[in-house]
Amino acid sequence: MQQVSSLRIRLEYRLAAQLLHARWMTRSPGKHRLTMRLFQRCAEAGHTAALSFYGHMLFHRGNSPQDKAKGARYVFQAAYAGDVHAQYQAGRIYEFGCAQYARREEKAVTWYARAAEAGHGLAAERMAEAYRHAHLGLPVDSRRAEQWAALAERAQRSDAGGPVASLTH
């Protein structure tokens, strides 16, 4: 039964992703509610990409502090599960802080580094900038800044010829 449930969740996630990008009914509140409900069901079932995307949406566009807190929890679940976009978002949450997660530069660096090493270009750019300008509690280190910048450039080159960007970025 677990396999059937997992298949159902994967299919619902694909449907939600297709609805999100569908050109028809672009301004339909009904389509939007259905799409978000599908993402929510998938996230609640533990689907990593849904946790990342839906968590990002809740955190940045949620109407209540409870929505934003739930979004942050979902982002962190996806980040711990290895989702590179969620790892970048976790870095941003710790860099800027929020009601439930205090600003913690050392944790921001950890999450940005994980995401950058996994190929997230913006995370690598942030690490390069941090080493160039002594941000996030890091010292100025031009050698490390250049290493992160080179990693960011490689990530951008691979994205340019690769598939369409993910749902979250």
Side-chain angles (χ1 to χ4, degrees), residues 9-132:
I9 293 300
R10 288 195 315 267
L11 289 173
E12 284 185 11
Y13 179 78
R14 290 192 69 187
L15 174 61
Q18 288 176 351
L19 283 172
L20 183 70
H21 296 295
R23 295 196 191 282
W24 55 274
M25 295 185 354
T26 54
R27 298 196 186 273
S28 169
K31 175 194 156 199
H32 177 75
R33 279 192 304 275
L34 172 62
T35 303
M36 290 302 113
R37 198 169 31 245
L38 287 169
F39 279 125
Q40 178 182 13
R41 285 173 43 132
C42 295
E44 289 172 354
H47 188 280
T48 303
L51 285 165
S52 178
F53 177 75
Y54 189 65
H56 178 88
M57 295 295 290
L58 279 178
F59 183 74
H60 290 285
R61 297 183 183 169
N63 293 326
S64 69
Q66 292 84 5
D67 284 345
K68 292 180 183 296
K70 182 187 269 189
R73 282 194 309 274
Y74 283 169
V75 165
F76 280 105
Q77 276 182 268
Y80 281 112
D83 184 272
V84 67
H85 301 296
Q87 290 172 345
Y88 172 73
Q89 288 302 318
R92 293 193 52 83
I93 290 170
Y94 276 125
E95 180 176 359
F96 298 104
C98 65
Q100 137 182 31
Y101 295 95
R103 188 172 194 274
R104 302 271 310 267
E105 291 180 333
E106 71 281 0
K107 288 192 175 200
V109 168
T110 298
W111 284 113
Y112 283 140
R114 283 183 188 178
E117 289 168 353
H120 196 283
L122 293 175
E125 285 177 19
R126 183 63 187 114
M127 290 297 293
E129 182 181 323
Y131 275 112
R132 274 191 209 105

